[in-house]
């Protein structure tokens, strides 16, 4: 398997964690989002992913893009070390927690959005950073409220083993901390993140451990 | 089943289409996003969905939020009239197309984001509308590129029967047209949308047909 990845991409980081949790080896193909005007925007890469974003996963069947679609695909094609629980409501809960990050936080804070805010809307660096922190705080507060209320919460987001929701939580916490947000304000998130980051699968997926890390 | 919904919510519209395609009856419980300071923000509703957003689906098992999680849940609990194909790569493709809408377009344009842009960032009505159109155009161009390239594209987004991807496409086109975007610039999207909107399942899910329509 080949994974088109960028060390600091939150969406690629999610997939790297899942591949590691499932014990699947892969070839990392770095796509530099900043160099050469953005390698993801070049025709060679658009032929792989017309959305011009990472990650993209290639195997003998074909190419899959969008991190949640890739994670579901890995779950269906490599069901060992399951990252979704067996019961429908538990599966729904793991997807729900994942999508709070994937739909309510991350899309507002990715590179192309911050660039548009700065260069097209013309906001100050300070307003851009406050935008970033606002959506992280809103989203983490919602995620914390779910984790705090739900009986399904355990050592990890759902129960006692890592799930797809943890693959989303850890990269989001990494991003939050990069922007100076203290996640201890969200005790369940901070606790679960701490439980995850000691595991080799999460450690080896960390941006600093990637071949293209700077 | 109960569906907490708002007639004009794009995410609720997706779920209404899927429920109709599967022939499932449900009780619509309107949550007015603008009235009373936003009914979704009130404690009664936050007890149902701590994220304070629609839709939320309740059945005898419990509550599920986040539209993609709800759709996957319906697919697992009501597999008749499948909205995902049987093969793993086809399933991945339907999810990928869905997530281009769910992650790359809609989160940038929902009510809370437009409000923050206007009231906190302080942009003009014109800049806000241009923001909206920019992300719709970017996202529809990516979706069109996928549909144009992929052999899986048929009468609908994937093959000859409606799938989850069509449940995402139609509400997004509805939103785009509300903001004056001509979708004929995206021929596959325009064609598939036209094929969907003649079907009763899509027609009955339309915002104008909801009990809370204004």
């Amino acid at each position: 398997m080949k994974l088109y990845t960028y060390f600091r991409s939150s969406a690629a980081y999610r997939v790297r964690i899942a591949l590691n949790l499932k014990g699947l080896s892969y070839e990392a193909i770095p796509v530099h989002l900043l160099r050469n005007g953005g390698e993801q925007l070049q025709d060679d890469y658009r032929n792989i992913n017309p959305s011009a974003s990472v990650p993209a996963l290639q195997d003998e069947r074909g190419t899959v893009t969008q991190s949640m679609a890739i994670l579901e695909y890995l779950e269906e094609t490599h069901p060992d070390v399951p990252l979704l629980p067996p019961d429908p409501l538990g599966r729904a809960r793991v997807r729900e927690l994942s999508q709070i990050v994937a739909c309510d936080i991350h899309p507002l804070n990715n590179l192309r959005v911050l660039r548009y805010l700065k260069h097209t809307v013309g906001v100050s660096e300070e307003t851009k950073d406050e935008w970033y922190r606002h959506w992280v705080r809103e989203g983490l507060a919602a995620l914390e409220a779910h984790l705090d209320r739900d009986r399904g919460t355990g050592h990890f987001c759902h129960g006692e083993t890592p799930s797809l929701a943890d693959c989303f939580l850890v990269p989001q916490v990494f991003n939050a901390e990069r922007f100076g947000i203290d996640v201890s304000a969200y005790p369940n998130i901070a606790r679960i993140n701490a439980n995850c980051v000691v595991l080799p699968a999460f450690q080896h997926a960390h941006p600093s451990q990637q071949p293209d890390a700077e």
Side-chain angles (χ1 to χ4, degrees), chain A:
Chain A
M1 268 187 299
K2 290 181 187 174
L3 180 69
Y4 292 85
T5 176
Y6 177 61
F7 74 110
R8 214 143 63 185
S9 156
S10 183
Y13 189 178
R14 298 167 189 159
V15 175
R16 295 195 302 257
I17 296 169
L19 286 163
N20 293 347
L21 285 168
K22 287 180 174 290
L24 300 170
S25 63
Y26 64 95
E27 179 190 353
I29 303 182
V31 179
H32 203 295
L33 302 190
L34 302 172
R35 207 174 287 159
N36 305 323
E39 293 178 354
Q40 78 282 12
L41 300 171
Q42 295 172 8
D43 286 349
D44 279 1
Y45 187 69
R46 281 190 195 266
N47 287 338
I48 294 161
N49 182 6
S51 293
S53 59
V54 292
L57 184 83
Q58 283 185 328
D59 69 6
E60 71 289 354
R61 286 189 188 83
T63 304
V64 184
T65 68
Q66 291 286 338
S67 63
M68 190 73 190
I70 295 172
L71 295 172
E72 296 269 5
Y73 177 73
L74 289 172
E75 189 67 6
E76 293 186 349
T77 54
H78 299 277
D80 287 348
V81 191
L83 299 178
L84 284 171
D87 60 305
L89 197 64
R91 298 167 73 82
R93 181 172 177 265
V94 168
R95 290 174 171 133
E96 170 186 285
L97 298 174
S98 301
Q99 283 151 31
I100 292 173
V101 174
C103 300
D104 294 350
I105 308 179
H106 181 63
L108 295 160
N109 290 348
N110 73 15
L111 187 62
R112 65 192 184 116
V113 172
L114 300 179
R115 278 185 171 161
Y116 186 89
L117 266 178
K118 192 165 176 194
H119 299 300
T120 305
V121 180
V123 307
S124 67
E125 196 71 17
E126 191 186 334
T127 299
K128 177 175 73 68
D129 288 353
E130 187 46 38
W131 163 281
Y132 191 104
R133 288 190 290 263
H134 173 77
W135 297 116
V136 171
R137 288 197 193 103
E138 286 271 304
L140 292 186
L143 186 58
E144 178 68 22
H146 281 269
L147 291 169
D148 192 52
R149 177 193 68 167
D150 297 351
R151 279 174 303 175
T153 306
H155 191 71
F156 296 101
C157 282
H158 191 78
E160 305 311 314
T161 54
S163 71
L164 293 185
D166 303 293
C167 300
F168 280 82
L169 180 138
V170 167
Q172 186 56 63
V173 168
F174 171 78
N175 279 352
E177 290 179 337
R178 268 185 71 212
F179 273 73
I181 292 168
D182 180 7
V183 296
S184 70
Y186 313 97
N188 282 283
I189 292 171
R191 177 181 62 75
I192 292 167
N193 182 66
N195 293 339
C196 290
V197 296
V198 296
L199 302 179
F202 288 83
Q203 290 176 341
H204 297 153
H206 193 275
S208 67
Q209 302 306 303
Q210 302 316 303
D212 56 331
E214 285 163 7

